[in-house]
Amino acid sequence: MADEAVADRPAEPAAPKAKDARSPEPPPRGGARGDDNAKDAPDAPGSSDASDSADAEAAEREKERERAADRFKDRTRDPLAEEQGEEEPTDAAAATRARRSGQKLLASGRDLIGFDRSDVGRLHIGDINIGLDARRSGLSMRDGPVPEEELLRIRRTHIEPEGYVRLRRALEARRLLVLGGAPGTGRASTALALLEEVTRDGEGGQNSERVRRADPERGVRGLATQVMGGKGGHPRGTGYLLEPALDRPGTLPPDGMDLDQLASALAEQGSYAVVVVSVGSAANPLLAGRYGAICPPAPTRELVAVRLRQRLEEEHGDPARDGGGCRARDGGRAPNGHADRNRGGHADRDGGQDGGRDRDADQDEGRTRNADQGGDRTRDGGQDQDRGQDRSQNRRPDDDGSLSRLLERAAELREDPEVTEAVGLDDLRPAEAELFASLLAGHLLGSVGREELLSGCRGLAAVQAYEWFAGVDRALAAPPPGDGRAPVRSGTAALFHPVAFRIALAVLGGASHSAVSAAAHLLTWELSVQSDPDSTPARPLFCDDPESDLALSRARPADGAVDVAGAEVTGRLIFYRGAALPAAVLAELWDRHFPVRAPVVRWLRLLADDPRPQVSMRAAVAAGELSVRDFEHGYAELVRPLAEASTPRRRVFAATALDQAAGHTSHRRAVRKVVEDWSRHGTPALRWTAAMALGYGRSADSMDDTLDALARIGVRDDGEQLAVASLNVVRLLTLPECATVLRRLADWTGHHGEDYQDLALVSIVRLALTDVDEVLDDEPGTPLGDRGDWPLLLALAATRPELTGKLADLFWTALNTARSRDVAFDALETLLRSASRKDGREWTREGLAALLPALTAEEHDRRRLDWLLRRMMRDQDRPLTEERARALWRLAVPARQRRSEEEESHG
C-alpha cells in the first residue's frame, strides 16, 4: 500500500534497513541496525566532494535495496502459475479438494481376488467356484426349450419386481413385450417368470416345451418368420424369450414395423414373446414404443434375505421348519389372479431376479457351491485351524436349537461393518446376492472361514469388473453371420463408449457428470483409434443417453459442489454405486488387458492438461494407483515424461501420482529413491517436480530429510527453484511435525548463506498469504479443516498455542529484514483486514488475538503497528473504520501498555 495514501501521519518508527543491499542475517529482535538511520544523520564537516560521494553511495544503496526487494517479491509469486507475469491466483484449494476426493474413492487398497491364469473363465472364492464366460454374452444362447425344472425353479424362487402385474397384463394384451434394463439386473429371470405364467394358463399349458429361447442372431425378423404360420414345429401357445445382439457393429435394431409383424404372428398362434434388451441408444427407441417397458432391479436387502433363507434351509434339510421355506406354488391363487408364490412373506418386493442372463438359464452352469454341501471337504493345513475355530463358533443349526436363531445370526453378520466394507457395493444384483448368501451361509455353518468370507465379499466387485471388460471387442473380429465378408468395424465408437464411461467414472468419480462424460468421449476416441488405426472413428452427436450410461455402469447422480474459478457452485456429480468398483475397474483394466494400456496412457496425459482441478487431480491419483500395480510401466509411461514437461500442471500431475504410489508401503522406498535422485541430480523440471512431491510429506524418510531436500532444491542455481521450494515448506506446516519445520525455518534465517535466508523469509511470507484449504489434506471437522478460508499463519496460532511464539518470531524477522519488509508489511495488512468479514461477522479474530501480542511485545513493534493502522484508516480505496482499528489495537496491546496519544487514535 502506497505511503502517499496517508497524510500527516506521525513519524514512522525506524524500521530496520540494511547497510548493504543484502544483509547476511536478520537483525536481532527488538533492535534496529546501527546504520539504519545513517542517511538521516547531520552532515559531518568536510569537503563538498565527500558529501556528494556519500549522497551518491546512499542513493546507490537505496536502489540496490529496491532491486533486492523486487527480487524477493518475485520469489513470493505463485510457482504454479502458467506464465511468469500471470497474477490470477491458481485454484490450489480446488486441487487439494479434488485430490482428497480421488483418494477417498481409491482408498480401499484391495488385493481383490486371484484369477486362474490358465482358465480365465473360472473364478475361485473360498469353496465357491463360479463360471464367468457363460454369463458374458447373449450370443452364447441358442434356440431351444427351457427345461421344466428351470421353470419350476422360477416359480418357486423368483421375486416379483415392482410393477410385475402391469408387465404381465401388457404381455397378455399385446402378446409382445420389450423388456429393458442393465445386464445382470434380472431381466431374463423376470422374462422367464412372465412367460411361464402366461403360457401355463394358455393354449400351451400342457406342453413341456412351452417356453423357448430364440436364437439371438436371427433377431426379431427371424423370430417373426419362424412363428408365422406355425413354422418350426412349435405348438400354439409357446412363449419365446429373445435377447437380440444389438451391440454388434453393423447390426440395425428392429423398428416398429418389425415388432408389429412379430406381434401379429404371435397373436395368430396364440403365443407370447418377451424381447430382452439392454438400455442404450440402440434399444431406447424400442423401449419408448408401445411394446416397451423398463424392468426395475431387485432390492438388495430383501433379495439377500430370501437367498440366505433358501441356502440355510437347504443345508438344514427341513424347508418347512419354523414356518419358513420356499414351497411349490402349484396350489392356491393370489387375489390378483396369479399363483401365490408364498416366499416366506416376501411376495410384494419391487425387484428380484434369479441371476444374470445365463444364470437364469441354468443354475448349475459353470458353477458349484461346495459351501452348501456340508463343509466336510479337505482343506489346506493353513486353513484348517481358522476353520476349526469358525466351526466351534458357528455350530450346526441343531446345536442352536432352531433355524430362526441361525437366521438372526445371519442378519447380524450381514450388518457387520467389516463385511459391509468388504462387499463395497451399494446394492447387489441377483447373481451377487446369491453368491453373497452362499458365503454367509457357509460361514455360519462353519465351511467358510472369516478371511475367506471377506475375500469372497471383496471378489464381488472384481467379478463385475471382469464381466464389464471381458471380450468387449470380440464382435469386431467376427464377420457378419453367414456371408464370409471381412469384419465390420464401423461401430467401434459405439461399442467402446460404455467401456470408456466405466473407466472414466473409475478415474473421475465424484466429478461433475459432464466432466466424466466428456472424458469418456475422449477415451472412446483413443480406444477406437487403437483398435482400428486406419479408420477415423465416427460417433453420432445426438445419440447419448445419460440415464443409460448410469444404468449400464452402476452409477448414481448426486447434487454437490463443483469448483469453478475459485468459487463453489452446485452441480450434478456422479459416483459408482459402491466404493469397491473404482479400484476393481482399474485393477481389471491394468492387470488383465495389456493392449488397452497405450490408449489409456494417452488419455491420462490429456487429462493432465485439463485446467479443471476436479479432472486433472483425480486423474493424477488414479495414475498413481495404476503405477502401483506396475511401477515400471507407470514410471516410464506416465510419471517420468510428465515430470519433465514444460508446464507446471503436468509436473504437478506427476508429483501427485508419485505421492499416491508412496502411500503404499510396498512402493514407498522406490518413490523416495526417485525423489532423492531428482532433488540432487535432476534437471530443473525434475527438481521442481521433486519439490512438489516432497510437499505431501511422504517422499522422504523423515521430516528433516524432506526439509534438507527442499533446501537443496531451493538454494541451487541462485535460487531458481526457491519459489516452489518455499511453497512446499509451507505445505509441510499442516502436518503434525510442523514444530520441526518451524525450527528449521529459524535455523535458515540465521544461516550464513543468503539463499537459505531467502528460503526462510519467502516461506514465512507465504505462510501468511496462503489459505488453509490451499494446502490442507484434512477433511472439515479437524481444527485446521474448520478454518479452511483462514490464512495458515493465523490458523496455526489459533489451534496450536504452543507454536505461537515461534510463529511470531519468524514473522517479526521478515518484518525487520530490509529485502522482505515491504512484502511482509503487505502480508500483515492482509492479516489485519481478515479479522472480520465484510458483513461484520467475526473471521480470524481468534488467530490475531493469539499472534499480535506476541508480535508487538516491544515498544518499537507497537509503534510500527500504530503507524500501519493509521495508514489503513487513511487508505482512499479501502479505508479501515475507526471501530475496527480500535478493536485490532486492543487485540495487540494490553491496556497497561497503551500510550495516551494512541488511545486518542485507537480508543
Side-chain angles (χ1 to χ4, degrees):
M1 186 171 297
D3 291 348
E4 303 89 79
V6 183
D8 300 328
R9 66 180 184 271
E12 178 181 355
K17 292 185 179 179
K19 178 178 179 180
D20 299 321
R22 298 166 66 86
S23 60
E25 60 184 35
R29 178 163 183 173
R33 303 185 67 85
D35 59 345
D36 280 341
N37 298 316
K39 63 184 180 68
D40 298 324
D43 291 338
S47 67
S48 60
D49 291 341
S51 176
D52 292 342
S53 175
D55 289 343
E57 183 180 351
E60 182 61 29
R61 285 201 305 267
E62 182 62 21
K63 290 180 181 179
E64 179 58 27
R65 190 195 71 80
E66 292 175 355
R67 287 192 291 268
D70 289 341
R71 286 194 298 269
F72 185 90
K73 184 175 182 179
D74 185 65
R75 286 176 169 178
T76 62
R77 66 180 295 273
D78 189 350
L80 304 182
E82 294 289 343
E83 301 295 337
Q84 189 70 20
E86 184 178 343
E87 295 184 358
E88 181 181 356
T90 53
D91 203 349
T96 300
R97 286 190 290 269
R99 172 177 173 269
R100 185 167 62 233
S101 176
Q103 287 180 322
K104 287 175 61 179
L105 289 179
L106 297 173
S108 53
R110 299 162 179 268
D111 291 330
L112 301 175
I113 47 176
F115 287 92
D116 183 356
R117 300 289 175 174
S118 63
D119 182 7
V120 298
R122 305 196 64 80
L123 170 65
H124 180 76
I125 303 176
D127 293 331
I128 302 171
N129 297 292
I130 307 172
L132 300 173
D133 286 339
R135 295 186 288 141
R136 197 164 55 221
S137 173
L139 296 179
S140 63
M141 299 175 60
R142 289 294 183 266
D143 190 14
V146 177
E148 184 65 27
E149 310 85 66
E150 176 72 6
L151 296 179
L152 178 61
R153 183 182 63 83
I154 289 291
R155 292 171 57 191
R156 294 180 61 243
T157 63
H158 178 258
I159 302 175
E160 297 175 357
E162 183 179 4
Y164 178 87
V165 174
R166 175 180 54 80
L167 295 176
R168 192 195 70 222
R169 289 174 178 170
L171 179 60
E172 291 173 338
R174 299 188 179 96
R175 299 282 176 170
L176 175 63
L177 180 67
V178 180
L179 194 62
T185 55
R187 307 161 304 165
S189 180
T190 295
L192 286 174
L194 289 167
L195 291 171
E196 190 278 332
E197 190 165 343
V198 298
T199 58
R200 176 160 43 87
D201 298 329
E203 298 181 39
Q206 304 305 316
N207 179 17
S208 62
E209 297 183 357
R210 55 191 167 84
V211 179
R212 303 183 62 88
R213 288 189 174 87
D215 189 346
E217 295 187 5
R218 300 186 62 179
V220 169
R221 298 181 186 89
L223 179 59
T225 301
Q226 183 182 28
V227 173
M228 191 177 301
K231 297 179 181 179
H234 302 158
R236 292 176 59 85
T238 299
Y240 297 92
L241 171 63
L242 172 65
E243 295 188 56
L246 300 181
D247 58 347
R248 296 191 63 180
T251 300
L252 295 177
D255 55 26
M257 294 184 63
D258 295 326
L259 295 177
D260 289 339
Q261 183 181 17
L262 175 58
S264 177
L266 292 168
E268 180 181 338
Q269 294 296 316
S271 299
Y272 303 89
V274 178
V275 180
V276 175
V277 296
S278 296
V279 292
S281 58
N284 285 350
L286 303 179
L287 297 174
R290 71 171 66 93
Y291 303 104
I294 296 295
C295 182
T300 296
R301 294 182 60 85
E302 297 177 359
L303 189 59
V304 172
V306 171
R307 296 293 181 263
L308 184 57
R309 173 179 281 273
Q310 292 170 357
R311 293 290 172 266
L312 292 176
E313 286 174 346
E314 289 171 5
E315 183 66 24
H316 192 262
D318 185 7
R321 183 172 179 173
D322 294 317
C326 295
R327 296 184 290 273
R329 62 177 186 178
D330 296 326
R333 295 278 181 180
N336 59 11
H338 64 278
D340 181 8
R341 286 166 170 75
N342 191 16
R343 298 182 192 84
H346 296 279
D348 58 346
R349 294 173 179 80
D350 61 355
Q353 285 72 6
D354 206 296
R357 189 182 295 122
D358 286 280
R359 181 189 292 278
D360 298 314
D362 188 356
Q363 184 180 15
D364 297 325
E365 183 176 340
R367 176 171 179 171
T368 60
R369 297 182 184 85
N370 295 332
D372 292 331
Q373 305 303 320
D376 56 352
R377 54 188 61 75
T378 304
R379 297 175 178 84
D380 294 336
Q383 299 175 344
D384 285 339
Q385 182 176 0
D386 176 55
R387 298 201 180 160
Q389 295 173 354
D390 284 308
R391 291 192 188 97
S392 65
Q393 297 173 0
N394 303 298
R395 300 184 298 276
R396 303 287 296 180
D398 292 339
D399 296 335
D400 283 343
S402 69
L403 178 62
S404 60
R405 173 57 185 156
L406 199 59
L407 290 172
E408 290 176 4
R409 292 169 54 201
E412 294 174 359
L413 184 60
R414 279 174 48 195
E415 302 301 324
D416 187 322
E418 193 173 10
V419 172
T420 301
E421 191 277 335
V423 171
L425 299 172
D426 293 350
D427 45 55
L428 299 181
R429 291 180 170 177
E432 296 161 350
E434 192 166 345
L435 176 58
F436 183 47
S438 297
L439 289 168
L440 293 177
H443 182 65
L444 290 170
L445 297 170
S447 62
V448 175
R450 176 77 175 184
E451 291 304 317
E452 284 184 302
L453 169 66
L454 297 178
S455 177
C457 290
R458 296 186 185 102
L460 295 175
V463 172
Q464 175 64 94
Y466 177 86
E467 292 177 348
W468 274 342
F469 290 99
V472 166
D473 55 352
R474 183 177 292 115
L476 295 176
D483 59 9
R485 291 180 299 167
V488 176
R489 306 183 67 85
S490 60
T492 54
L495 183 66
F496 286 131
H497 179 69
V499 175
F501 190 88
R502 292 161 188 155
I503 298 172
L505 184 56
V507 172
L508 303 179
S512 65
H513 194 169
S514 62
V516 175
S517 182
H521 281 292
L522 285 176
L523 182 55
T524 298
W525 176 277
E526 294 293 344
L527 294 174
S528 301
V529 170
Q530 184 76 11
S531 176
D532 188 8
D534 296 329
S535 302
T536 300
R539 176 160 180 80
L541 299 180
F542 298 99
C543 291
D544 274 3
D545 182 3
E547 297 305 320
S548 297
D549 288 340
L550 295 178
L552 293 173
S553 301
R554 300 185 73 161
R556 62 177 177 86
D559 291 336
V562 179
D563 290 295
V564 179
E568 289 189 353
V569 298
T570 301
R572 188 173 191 251
L573 310 183
I574 183 171
F575 302 85
Y576 268 117
R577 296 184 63 85
L581 286 171
V585 166
L586 295 183
E588 171 69 17
L589 176 74
W590 216 243
D591 293 348
R592 296 181 56 79
H593 303 281
F594 294 103
V596 85
R597 288 187 176 187
V600 169
V601 165
R602 293 196 300 269
W603 174 68
L604 288 172
R605 290 180 180 178
L606 290 175
L607 298 187
D609 292 326
D610 196 294
R612 295 167 295 180
Q614 65 163 327
V615 173
S616 59
M617 293 304 290
R618 284 181 169 88
V621 171
E625 287 297 315
L626 293 176
S627 297
V628 168
R629 306 200 73 84
D630 187 346
F631 193 73
E632 177 189 18
H633 187 272
Y635 177 80
E637 298 295 329
L638 278 171
V639 175
R640 179 63 185 254
L642 294 180
E644 293 182 306
S646 60
T647 61
R649 187 174 288 119
R650 284 196 160 201
R651 297 198 294 266
V652 169
F653 185 101
T656 303
L658 270 179
D659 174 73
Q660 187 67 19
H664 295 259
T665 305
S666 58
H667 289 70
R668 192 167 298 156
R669 182 178 178 182
V671 171
R672 289 176 176 176
K673 180 65 166 58
V674 168
V675 173
E676 172 76 9
D677 288 346
W678 287 359
S679 71
R680 290 184 181 276
H681 314 297
T683 62
L686 291 178
R687 295 200 304 273
W688 196 100
T689 306
M692 290 302 300
L694 289 164
Y696 290 115
R698 297 191 292 196
S699 296
D701 293 334
S702 66
M703 182 58 71
D704 279 318
D705 289 340
T706 300
L707 293 166
D708 286 341
L710 285 172
R712 188 162 54 244
I713 294 169
V715 303
R716 183 171 170 177
D717 297 336
D718 295 326
E720 178 185 0
Q721 308 283 359
L722 192 145
V724 70
S726 66
L727 170 64
N728 288 283
V729 171
V730 172
R731 292 172 64 198
L732 295 173
L733 285 166
T734 63
L735 302 179
E737 304 93 330
C738 61
T740 301
V741 181
L742 295 179
R743 173 179 57 80
R744 293 296 298 274
L745 285 173
D747 293 343
W748 291 340
T749 60
H751 198 281
H752 67 277
E754 293 177 354
D755 286 334
Y756 280 92
Q757 295 177 28
D758 280 354
L759 176 59
L761 294 171
V762 171
S763 300
I764 295 165
V765 172
R766 198 180 296 281
L767 172 62
L769 297 174
T770 301
D771 287 347
V772 171
D773 58 7
E774 295 180 44
V775 292
L776 181 68
D777 284 335
D778 291 351
E779 293 279 1
T782 62
L784 282 180
D786 288 338
R787 296 168 172 82
D789 61 348
W790 284 37
L792 181 57
L793 176 61
L794 298 182
L796 288 173
T799 59
R800 300 288 299 272
E802 73 278 9
L803 302 178
T804 301
K806 295 179 181 179
L807 292 168
D809 286 345
L810 289 170
F811 196 54
W812 185 95
T813 301
L815 289 169
N816 286 275
T817 302
R819 58 186 179 275
S820 63
R821 181 173 60 232
D822 293 343
V823 179
F825 261 96
D826 289 342
L828 178 58
E829 179 177 339
T830 301
L831 297 179
L832 294 173
R833 290 187 182 277
S834 71
S836 57
R837 303 183 188 275
K838 292 181 179 179
D839 59 4
R841 291 182 296 118
E842 187 174 298
W843 187 2
T844 65
R845 180 184 175 87
E846 179 187 3
L848 288 168
L851 181 69
L852 288 179
L855 193 63
T856 58
E858 300 185 13
E859 179 64 21
H860 173 81
D861 306 320
R862 290 191 290 274
R863 290 179 59 199
R864 180 170 52 200
L865 177 62
D866 171 59
W867 169 81
L868 181 57
L869 289 174
R870 293 171 186 268
R871 190 180 79 169
M872 293 168 62
M873 291 171 63
R874 298 174 184 178
D875 185 350
Q876 296 179 3
D877 296 326
R878 299 176 59 198
L880 185 69
T881 65
E882 182 179 348
E883 180 183 1
R884 292 190 178 184
R886 184 184 301 118
L888 290 170
W889 179 253
R890 289 176 175 173
L891 282 179
V893 182
R896 64 180 182 276
Q897 295 179 349
R898 299 174 196 158
R899 295 185 291 114
S900 59
E901 64 180 68
E902 293 164 346
E903 286 291 328
E904 294 175 1
S905 298
H906 306 301

